[in-house]
């Protein structure tokens, strides 16, 4: 069989168990069929340290140039990792660095199979969470108030003009917090969501608490509406999809009653919390894909889970692990499919769809890794090691 040719994508390798799985997926499921063309960046912790983390920035810059990237899970160092890897410094999270460079929004989608039923009975199709990953409570200023006194919110413009509002006249001790966001980031968030809805041909929902937060959340609502009316209304009409804003209380009720199959955009905190609820209700973190979409139309695909450290330590002792490679496989298929779509390379896009189908068919035939076997319904459920599972997918492919 002649291998499928492709234009280059950015490949970012990573750490621990997912680095092992990365190689297996490439060797067994992709390279035999595709003349793999990648610009390779090793984001493994040792190389980030050796390059003073320049490799992460270079990988982000390459993504702007090539438009499509696939990333393996990486360690975000903490004090223990600094010791373990004898690091020069506690490097920042690569995902944060890449997100800052690409100005993107993270979309997370559960991978559904018929043998694992969502906890919400009527969910028939995946719900994608689009989380704004900038500002709000994650960048807040806050402290404890020691006792009686006045708290004020003050803004001083460059021209010296001030806004001042009393927050509260404390009669006792308490707590105080202030947070911010900015129009440019909210606009980028909105455009990423509209672009992603178009690329997925799915409805976009957005919800905030604008009835209570009449300036802050109202600004999010207004910016989304303004950009939709000016830039996306016609495109949505053409595809027969809709943009729908509703109060967050109403949204949670509608999400539970829904059949799924849409994108739900949320502010930073709401998205953080709701994505854990939605992924758990759909089954497992190991079955969640994640893609960073920039407002300029760059795409970076990865698995939603981490480097699965506990499995890696067992692997190092020579044990065969049953680590689920599905989200990593879907990161690759997602990136190859996007490359194919952007270039009109139908063979590549079709290969990606076949690869995903082979994965789902394998699981539906009862062959899966241990994490899924625990959740699966059906008689003939077989627990496979990672290598056995990948071999089963390959033989179907
Ligand atoms: P994790 O790697 O997602 O693993 C947490 C637990 O979830 C695992 O111990 C395992 O449970 C289960 N799990 C996750 N993925 C699985 C898979 N594919 N197959 C089977 N089970 C799976 O999260 P973590 O242990 O909190 O973090 C480990 C490292 O990953 C950290 O250094 C963190 O910085 C990094 N991280 C990176 C990313 C990223 O690059 N996007 C995201 C999150 C975390 P059992 O052990 O019970 O089987
Ligand atoms: Mg969370």
């Amino acid at each position: 069989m002649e291998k499928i040719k492709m234009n280059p994508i950015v490949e970012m390798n990573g750490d621990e168990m997912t680095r092992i799985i990365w190689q297996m997926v490439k060797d067994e499921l992709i390279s035999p069929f595709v003349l793999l063309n990648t610009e390779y960046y090793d984001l493994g912790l040792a190389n980030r340290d050796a390059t003073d983390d320049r490799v992460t920035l270079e990988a982000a810059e390459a993504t702007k140039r090539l438009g499509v990237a696939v990333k393996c899970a990486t360690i975000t160092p903490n004090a223990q990792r600094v010791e373990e890897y004898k690091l020069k410094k506690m490097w920042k999270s690569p995902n944060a660095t890449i997100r800052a460079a690409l100005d993107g929004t993270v979309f997370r989608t559960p991978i559904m199979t018929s043998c694992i039923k969502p906890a919400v009975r009527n969910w028939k199709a995946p719900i994608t969470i689009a989380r704004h990953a900038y500002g709000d409570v994650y960048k807040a200023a806050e402290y404890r108030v020691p006792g009686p006194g006045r708290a004020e919110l003050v803004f001083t413009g460059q021209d010296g003009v001030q806004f001042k509002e009393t927050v509260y006249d404390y009669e006792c001790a308490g707590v105080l917090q202030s947070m911010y966001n900015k129009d440019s980031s909210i606009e980028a968030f909105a455009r990423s969501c509209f672009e992603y809805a178009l690329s997925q041909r799915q409805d976009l929902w957005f919800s905030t608490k604008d009835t209570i937060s009449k300036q802050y959340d109202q600004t999010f609502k207004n910016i989304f509406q303004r950009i939709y009316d000016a830039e996306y209304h016609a495109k949505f009409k053409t595809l027969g999809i809709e943009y729908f804003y509703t109060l967050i209380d109403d949204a949670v009720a509608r999400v539970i009653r829904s059949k799924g199959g849409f994108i739900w955009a949320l502010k930073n905190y709401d998205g953080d919390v709701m994505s854990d609820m939605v992924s758990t209700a759909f089954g497992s973190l190991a079955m969640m894909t994640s893609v960073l979409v920039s407002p300029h139309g760059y795409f970076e695909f990865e698995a939603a889970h981490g480097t699965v450290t506990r499995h890696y330590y067992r692997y190092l002792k020579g044990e065969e692990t049953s680590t689920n490679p599905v989200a990593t496989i879907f990161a690759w298929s997602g990136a190859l499919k996007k490359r194919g779509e952007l270039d009109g390379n139908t063979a590549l896009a079709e290969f990606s769809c076949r690869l995903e189908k082979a994965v789902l068919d394998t699981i539906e035939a009862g062959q899966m890794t241990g994490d899924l076997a625990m959740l699966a319904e059906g008689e003939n459920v077989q627990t496979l090691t990672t290598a056995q599972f990948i071999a089963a997918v390959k033989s179907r492919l």
Side-chain angles (χ1 to χ4, degrees):
M1 184 188 129
E2 203 187 326
K3 291 190 186 181
I4 299 162
K5 294 194 184 62
M6 61 178 283
N7 287 329
I9 62 172
V10 178
E11 172 183 354
M12 307 182 201
N13 207 340
D15 290 299
E16 300 194 313
M17 203 59 220
T18 39
R19 189 179 179 100
I20 308 298
I21 291 174
W22 193 257
Q23 200 58 46
M24 292 164 82
V25 169
K26 277 172 64 177
D27 290 348
E28 300 299 320
L29 299 178
I30 299 174
S31 295
F33 310 100
V34 178
L35 201 57
L36 194 57
N37 182 0
T38 72
E39 210 169 279
Y40 180 85
Y41 294 86
D42 182 0
L43 268 56
L45 189 49
N47 193 45
R48 275 183 275 149
D49 195 50
T51 62
D52 293 334
D53 209 20
R54 272 194 313 276
V55 66
T56 308
L57 274 176
E58 285 166 9
E61 289 307 313
T63 305
K64 292 185 187 169
R65 191 159 33 78
L66 298 181
V68 182
V70 59
K71 178 181 170 292
C72 179
T74 46
I75 292 169
T76 298
N78 54 16
Q80 182 254 318
R81 298 295 199 166
V82 172
E83 181 56 32
E84 181 184 353
Y85 283 80
K86 303 277 177 265
L87 299 179
K88 293 180 204 158
K89 135 176 197 199
M90 201 185 293
W91 302 110
K92 280 204 308 191
S93 147
N95 287 339
T97 303
I98 293 165
R99 202 150 55 214
L102 300 184
D103 193 11
T105 300
V106 176
F107 296 85
R108 297 208 151 163
T109 310
I111 301 161
M112 293 181 74
T113 69
S114 63
C115 51
I116 294 161
K117 300 268 182 287
V120 179
R121 268 174 306 170
N122 40 289
W123 286 356
K124 301 290 179 233
I127 296 167
T128 296
I129 300 283
R131 171 185 169 189
H132 185 212
Y134 181 83
D136 296 0
V137 74
Y138 302 84
K139 290 272 189 188
E142 60 173 28
Y143 48 80
R144 272 198 58 75
V145 170
R150 171 169 295 182
E152 292 173 325
L153 195 57
V154 182
F155 169 81
T156 310
Q158 269 182 343
D159 55 5
V161 175
Q162 280 200 338
F163 295 120
K164 183 144 80 177
E165 199 177 326
T166 299
V167 178
Y168 190 63
D169 281 315
Y170 286 85
E171 71 286 352
C172 64
V175 284
L176 180 64
Q177 179 185 67
S178 88
M179 62 184 195
Y180 74 93
N181 223 300
K182 51 184 191 178
D183 287 3
S184 58
S185 176
I186 302 167
E187 285 162 6
F189 173 42
R191 288 201 175 86
S192 296
C193 291
F194 291 128
E195 286 294 331
Y196 195 70
L198 289 175
S199 80
Q200 299 305 110
R201 295 169 177 257
Q202 282 186 335
D203 291 346
L204 176 69
W205 297 19
F206 182 42
S207 52
T208 72
K209 192 72 177 176
D210 65 293
T211 49
I212 299 298
S213 174
K214 288 189 178 5
Q215 294 296 331
Y216 204 107
D217 283 18
Q218 186 76 43
T219 294
F220 278 78
K221 177 183 176 180
N222 291 347
I223 286 177
F224 266 68
Q225 196 62 50
R226 169 168 58 72
I227 291 178
Y228 177 71
D229 291 342
E231 300 169 32
Y232 290 97
H233 182 80
K235 292 177 188 165
F236 271 52
K237 271 263 141 50
T238 309
L239 289 188
I241 57 176
E242 71 164 3
Y243 168 60
F244 169 61
Y245 178 87
T246 187
L247 187 66
I248 192 159
D249 316 43
D250 181 46
V252 294
R254 283 173 187 262
V255 163
I256 298 297
R257 285 200 306 266
S258 78
K259 291 192 166 62
F262 56 89
I263 299 156
W264 186 15
L266 290 158
K267 286 174 59 203
N268 208 348
Y269 173 81
D270 302 336
D272 185 356
V273 176
M274 288 300 161
S275 71
D276 283 351
M277 194 192 71
V278 167
S279 69
T280 307
F282 271 104
S284 160
L285 184 64
M287 296 290 280
M288 191 89 168
T289 62
S290 182
V291 57
L292 176 74
V293 180
S294 87
H296 320 286
Y298 316 128
F299 295 80
E300 183 228 346
F301 294 82
E302 64 169 350
H305 60 76
T307 58
V308 213
T309 310
R310 292 208 298 173
H311 294 217
Y312 182 59
Y313 290 150
R314 295 213 301 271
Y315 166 86
L316 288 180
K317 284 191 209 138
E319 245 180 80
E320 281 267 1
T321 71
S322 181
T323 316
N324 190 337
V326 171
T328 299
I329 298 172
F330 273 63
W332 273 100
S333 61
L336 295 180
K337 199 188 296 174
K338 182 54 69 182
R339 179 80 283 163
E341 282 169 14
L342 292 175
D343 301 344
N345 184 344
T346 349
L348 188 64
E350 271 174 17
F351 167 76
S352 310
C353 294
R354 287 212 184 104
L355 174 56
E356 291 178 359
K357 185 168 187 315
V359 169
L360 297 178
D361 287 350
T362 303
I363 296 171
E364 275 162 17
Q367 298 181 295
M368 59 194 84
T369 47
D371 56 312
L372 295 184
M374 280 188 324
L375 302 167
E377 293 175 9
E379 313 280 272
N380 54 346
V381 173
Q382 231 186 317
T383 303
L384 304 185
T385 63
T386 306
Q388 288 168 337
F389 177 77
I390 288 176
V393 172
K394 187 179 186 179
S395 71
R396 259 169 213 283
L397 192 58

Short mmCIF file of all heavy atoms in Angstrom, two decimals, residues 107 128 130 190-205 228 232 235-236 239 241-243 262-264 293 299:
data_model
loop_
_atom_site.label_atom_id
_atom_site.label_comp_id
_atom_site.label_asym_id
_atom_site.label_seq_id
_atom_site.Cartn_x
_atom_site.Cartn_y
_atom_site.Cartn_z
N PHE A 107 -11.08 23.70 24.08
CA PHE A 107 -12.33 22.98 23.88
C PHE A 107 -12.14 21.53 24.28
O PHE A 107 -11.21 20.88 23.80
CB PHE A 107 -12.74 23.04 22.40
CG PHE A 107 -13.03 24.43 21.93
CD1 PHE A 107 -12.00 25.25 21.50
CD2 PHE A 107 -14.32 24.92 21.95
CE1 PHE A 107 -12.26 26.56 21.09
CE2 PHE A 107 -14.59 26.22 21.53
CZ PHE A 107 -13.55 27.04 21.10
N THR A 128 -19.41 19.64 24.24
CA THR A 128 -18.06 20.22 24.28
C THR A 128 -18.06 21.45 25.17
O THR A 128 -18.90 22.33 25.01
CB THR A 128 -17.63 20.62 22.85
OG1 THR A 128 -17.54 19.45 22.06
CG2 THR A 128 -16.28 21.34 22.85
N ALA A 130 -16.26 24.85 26.17
CA ALA A 130 -15.30 25.85 25.71
C ALA A 130 -15.03 26.79 26.87
O ALA A 130 -15.90 27.56 27.26
CB ALA A 130 -15.86 26.63 24.52
N ALA A 190 -14.50 34.88 22.19
CA ALA A 190 -15.73 34.80 21.37
C ALA A 190 -15.41 34.30 19.96
O ALA A 190 -16.06 33.38 19.46
CB ALA A 190 -16.40 36.17 21.31
N ARG A 191 -14.37 34.86 19.34
CA ARG A 191 -14.04 34.45 17.95
C ARG A 191 -13.63 32.98 17.91
O ARG A 191 -14.01 32.26 16.98
CB ARG A 191 -12.94 35.33 17.37
CG ARG A 191 -13.42 36.73 17.04
CD ARG A 191 -12.55 37.46 16.02
NE ARG A 191 -13.18 38.74 15.72
CZ ARG A 191 -12.98 39.85 16.44
NH1 ARG A 191 -12.13 39.83 17.46
NH2 ARG A 191 -13.62 40.96 16.12
N SER A 192 -12.85 32.53 18.91
CA SER A 192 -12.46 31.12 18.95
C SER A 192 -13.70 30.23 19.02
O SER A 192 -13.78 29.20 18.34
CB SER A 192 -11.58 30.82 20.16
OG SER A 192 -10.38 31.52 20.09
N CYS A 193 -14.67 30.61 19.83
CA CYS A 193 -15.89 29.81 19.98
C CYS A 193 -16.69 29.78 18.68
O CYS A 193 -17.16 28.73 18.25
CB CYS A 193 -16.76 30.37 21.10
SG CYS A 193 -16.04 30.12 22.73
N PHE A 194 -16.85 30.95 18.05
CA PHE A 194 -17.61 30.98 16.79
C PHE A 194 -16.89 30.17 15.71
O PHE A 194 -17.52 29.42 14.96
CB PHE A 194 -17.84 32.43 16.34
CG PHE A 194 -18.79 33.19 17.24
CD1 PHE A 194 -18.45 34.43 17.77
CD2 PHE A 194 -20.05 32.67 17.54
CE1 PHE A 194 -19.32 35.12 18.61
CE2 PHE A 194 -20.93 33.34 18.38
CZ PHE A 194 -20.56 34.57 18.91
N GLU A 195 -15.54 30.31 15.63
CA GLU A 195 -14.77 29.55 14.65
C GLU A 195 -14.92 28.05 14.88
O GLU A 195 -15.08 27.26 13.94
CB GLU A 195 -13.27 29.92 14.72
CG GLU A 195 -12.91 31.27 14.16
CD GLU A 195 -13.11 31.38 12.65
OE1 GLU A 195 -13.01 30.35 11.96
OE2 GLU A 195 -13.38 32.50 12.17
N TYR A 196 -14.87 27.66 16.15
CA TYR A 196 -14.95 26.23 16.46
C TYR A 196 -16.33 25.67 16.14
O TYR A 196 -16.45 24.57 15.61
CB TYR A 196 -14.60 25.98 17.94
CG TYR A 196 -14.31 24.54 18.23
CD1 TYR A 196 -13.16 23.93 17.76
CD2 TYR A 196 -15.20 23.77 18.98
CE1 TYR A 196 -12.89 22.59 18.02
CE2 TYR A 196 -14.94 22.42 19.25
CZ TYR A 196 -13.79 21.85 18.77
OH TYR A 196 -13.53 20.52 19.02
N ALA A 197 -17.37 26.45 16.44
CA ALA A 197 -18.73 26.02 16.12
C ALA A 197 -18.86 25.79 14.62
O ALA A 197 -19.45 24.80 14.17
CB ALA A 197 -19.74 27.04 16.61
N LEU A 198 -18.27 26.70 13.82
CA LEU A 198 -18.32 26.53 12.37
C LEU A 198 -17.58 25.27 11.95
O LEU A 198 -18.07 24.50 11.13
CB LEU A 198 -17.68 27.74 11.67
CG LEU A 198 -18.44 29.07 11.72
CD1 LEU A 198 -17.59 30.17 11.07
CD2 LEU A 198 -19.78 28.95 11.00
N SER A 199 -16.38 25.05 12.55
CA SER A 199 -15.58 23.90 12.13
C SER A 199 -16.26 22.59 12.53
O SER A 199 -16.10 21.58 11.85
CB SER A 199 -14.16 23.98 12.70
OG SER A 199 -14.12 23.55 14.04
N GLN A 200 -17.04 22.60 13.61
CA GLN A 200 -17.73 21.38 14.05
C GLN A 200 -19.16 21.29 13.53
O GLN A 200 -19.83 20.29 13.73
CB GLN A 200 -17.79 21.32 15.59
CG GLN A 200 -16.45 21.28 16.28
CD GLN A 200 -15.59 20.14 15.78
OE1 GLN A 200 -14.59 20.37 15.09
NE2 GLN A 200 -15.96 18.92 16.06
N ARG A 201 -19.63 22.37 12.92
CA ARG A 201 -21.04 22.46 12.47
C ARG A 201 -21.99 22.14 13.62
O ARG A 201 -22.92 21.33 13.49
CB ARG A 201 -21.32 21.50 11.30
CG ARG A 201 -20.54 21.88 10.07
CD ARG A 201 -20.61 20.81 9.02
NE ARG A 201 -19.90 21.26 7.83
CZ ARG A 201 -20.50 21.70 6.73
NH1 ARG A 201 -21.81 21.74 6.63
NH2 ARG A 201 -19.79 22.10 5.70
N GLN A 202 -21.74 22.76 14.77
CA GLN A 202 -22.59 22.53 15.94
C GLN A 202 -23.06 23.86 16.50
O GLN A 202 -22.37 24.88 16.38
CB GLN A 202 -21.81 21.80 17.03
CG GLN A 202 -21.66 20.32 16.77
CD GLN A 202 -21.00 19.59 17.95
OE1 GLN A 202 -20.27 20.18 18.72
NE2 GLN A 202 -21.26 18.30 18.05
N ASP A 203 -24.23 23.84 17.16
CA ASP A 203 -24.74 25.03 17.84
C ASP A 203 -23.77 25.45 18.93
O ASP A 203 -23.11 24.62 19.55
CB ASP A 203 -26.09 24.74 18.51
CG ASP A 203 -27.19 24.50 17.48
OD1 ASP A 203 -26.98 24.82 16.28
OD2 ASP A 203 -28.25 23.99 17.88
N LEU A 204 -23.74 26.76 19.19
CA LEU A 204 -22.92 27.31 20.27
C LEU A 204 -23.84 27.92 21.32
O LEU A 204 -24.68 28.75 21.00
CB LEU A 204 -21.98 28.38 19.73
CG LEU A 204 -21.14 29.10 20.79
CD1 LEU A 204 -20.10 28.17 21.39
CD2 LEU A 204 -20.45 30.33 20.18
N TRP A 205 -23.70 27.46 22.57
CA TRP A 205 -24.40 28.07 23.70
C TRP A 205 -23.39 28.89 24.48
O TRP A 205 -22.22 28.52 24.58
CB TRP A 205 -24.96 27.01 24.65
CG TRP A 205 -25.99 26.09 24.10
CD1 TRP A 205 -26.26 25.83 22.79
CD2 TRP A 205 -26.88 25.27 24.87
NE1 TRP A 205 -27.27 24.89 22.69
CE2 TRP A 205 -27.66 24.54 23.96
CE3 TRP A 205 -27.09 25.09 26.24
CZ2 TRP A 205 -28.64 23.63 24.37
CZ3 TRP A 205 -28.06 24.19 26.65
CH2 TRP A 205 -28.84 23.47 25.72
N TYR A 228 -20.93 38.22 17.02
CA TYR A 228 -21.79 37.30 16.27
C TYR A 228 -22.55 38.05 15.17
O TYR A 228 -22.54 37.64 14.01
CB TYR A 228 -22.80 36.61 17.21
CG TYR A 228 -23.76 35.72 16.47
CD1 TYR A 228 -23.31 34.52 15.92
CD2 TYR A 228 -25.09 36.09 16.30
CE1 TYR A 228 -24.18 33.71 15.20
CE2 TYR A 228 -25.97 35.27 15.59
CZ TYR A 228 -25.51 34.08 15.05
OH TYR A 228 -26.36 33.29 14.33
N TYR A 232 -20.45 36.64 12.19
CA TYR A 232 -20.76 35.20 12.10
C TYR A 232 -22.20 34.85 11.77
O TYR A 232 -22.49 33.72 11.41
CB TYR A 232 -20.34 34.50 13.40
CG TYR A 232 -18.84 34.44 13.55
CD1 TYR A 232 -18.17 35.39 14.31
CD2 TYR A 232 -18.10 33.48 12.88
CE1 TYR A 232 -16.78 35.36 14.41
CE2 TYR A 232 -16.72 33.44 12.98
CZ TYR A 232 -16.07 34.38 13.75
OH TYR A 232 -14.71 34.35 13.83
N LYS A 235 -22.65 33.27 8.36
CA LYS A 235 -21.97 31.96 8.25
C LYS A 235 -22.74 30.89 9.01
O LYS A 235 -22.84 29.74 8.56
CB LYS A 235 -20.55 32.05 8.80
CG LYS A 235 -19.61 32.92 7.97
CD LYS A 235 -18.24 33.00 8.62
CE LYS A 235 -17.35 34.01 7.90
NZ LYS A 235 -16.18 34.37 8.68
N PHE A 236 -23.27 31.24 10.18
CA PHE A 236 -24.05 30.27 10.96
C PHE A 236 -25.33 29.89 10.20
O PHE A 236 -25.69 28.73 10.14
CB PHE A 236 -24.41 30.85 12.35
CG PHE A 236 -23.37 30.58 13.41
CD1 PHE A 236 -22.03 30.88 13.20
CD2 PHE A 236 -23.72 30.00 14.62
CE1 PHE A 236 -21.06 30.62 14.17
CE2 PHE A 236 -22.77 29.74 15.61
CZ PHE A 236 -21.44 30.05 15.38
N LEU A 239 -24.76 27.34 7.47
CA LEU A 239 -24.55 25.96 7.94
C LEU A 239 -25.77 25.42 8.70
O LEU A 239 -25.79 24.25 9.10
CB LEU A 239 -23.33 25.87 8.85
CG LEU A 239 -21.95 26.04 8.20
CD1 LEU A 239 -20.84 25.74 9.20
CD2 LEU A 239 -21.79 25.10 6.99
N ILE A 241 -26.70 26.31 11.72
CA ILE A 241 -26.44 26.19 13.17
C ILE A 241 -26.81 27.50 13.85
O ILE A 241 -26.98 28.53 13.19
CB ILE A 241 -24.96 25.83 13.46
CG1 ILE A 241 -24.00 26.86 12.86
CG2 ILE A 241 -24.65 24.44 12.95
CD1 ILE A 241 -22.54 26.62 13.21
N GLU A 242 -26.95 27.47 15.19
CA GLU A 242 -27.35 28.70 15.86
C GLU A 242 -26.47 29.06 17.05
O GLU A 242 -25.82 28.19 17.65
CB GLU A 242 -28.82 28.63 16.28
CG GLU A 242 -29.10 27.69 17.44
CD GLU A 242 -30.50 27.97 18.06
OE1 GLU A 242 -31.23 28.85 17.54
OE2 GLU A 242 -30.83 27.32 19.06
N TYR A 243 -26.45 30.37 17.33
CA TYR A 243 -25.80 30.88 18.54
C TYR A 243 -26.91 31.21 19.53
O TYR A 243 -27.90 31.87 19.19
CB TYR A 243 -24.98 32.14 18.24
CG TYR A 243 -24.55 32.84 19.51
CD1 TYR A 243 -23.75 32.18 20.44
CD2 TYR A 243 -24.97 34.14 19.79
CE1 TYR A 243 -23.38 32.79 21.63
CE2 TYR A 243 -24.60 34.76 20.98
CZ TYR A 243 -23.81 34.08 21.89
OH TYR A 243 -23.46 34.68 23.07
N PHE A 262 -23.67 19.77 21.25
CA PHE A 262 -23.45 21.21 21.05
C PHE A 262 -22.21 21.65 21.82
O PHE A 262 -21.60 20.86 22.54
CB PHE A 262 -24.68 22.02 21.50
CG PHE A 262 -25.08 21.74 22.92
CD1 PHE A 262 -24.55 22.48 23.97
CD2 PHE A 262 -25.98 20.72 23.22
CE1 PHE A 262 -24.91 22.22 25.28
CE2 PHE A 262 -26.33 20.44 24.53
CZ PHE A 262 -25.79 21.18 25.57
N ILE A 263 -21.85 22.91 21.64
CA ILE A 263 -20.68 23.49 22.32
C ILE A 263 -21.20 24.46 23.37
O ILE A 263 -22.07 25.29 23.07
CB ILE A 263 -19.79 24.22 21.30
CG1 ILE A 263 -19.28 23.23 20.25
CG2 ILE A 263 -18.61 24.92 22.01
CD1 ILE A 263 -18.90 23.88 18.94
N TRP A 264 -20.68 24.36 24.58
CA TRP A 264 -21.13 25.21 25.67
C TRP A 264 -19.96 26.08 26.10
O TRP A 264 -19.00 25.58 26.69
CB TRP A 264 -21.63 24.33 26.83
CG TRP A 264 -22.25 25.06 27.98
CD1 TRP A 264 -22.67 26.35 28.02
CD2 TRP A 264 -22.54 24.50 29.27
NE1 TRP A 264 -23.20 26.64 29.25
CE2 TRP A 264 -23.14 25.53 30.03
CE3 TRP A 264 -22.36 23.25 29.84
CZ2 TRP A 264 -23.54 25.33 31.36
CZ3 TRP A 264 -22.76 23.05 31.15
CH2 TRP A 264 -23.35 24.08 31.89
N VAL A 293 -7.87 26.31 20.31
CA VAL A 293 -8.16 26.98 19.04
C VAL A 293 -7.88 28.47 19.21
O VAL A 293 -8.41 29.10 20.12
CB VAL A 293 -9.64 26.78 18.65
CG1 VAL A 293 -9.94 27.48 17.33
CG2 VAL A 293 -9.96 25.30 18.53
N PHE A 299 -4.68 25.46 15.37
CA PHE A 299 -5.25 24.38 16.18
C PHE A 299 -4.15 23.56 16.83
O PHE A 299 -3.22 23.12 16.15
CB PHE A 299 -6.09 23.45 15.29
CG PHE A 299 -7.30 24.11 14.69
CD1 PHE A 299 -7.19 24.91 13.56
CD2 PHE A 299 -8.56 23.93 15.26
CE1 PHE A 299 -8.31 25.53 13.00
CE2 PHE A 299 -9.68 24.53 14.71
CZ PHE A 299 -9.55 25.34 13.58
#
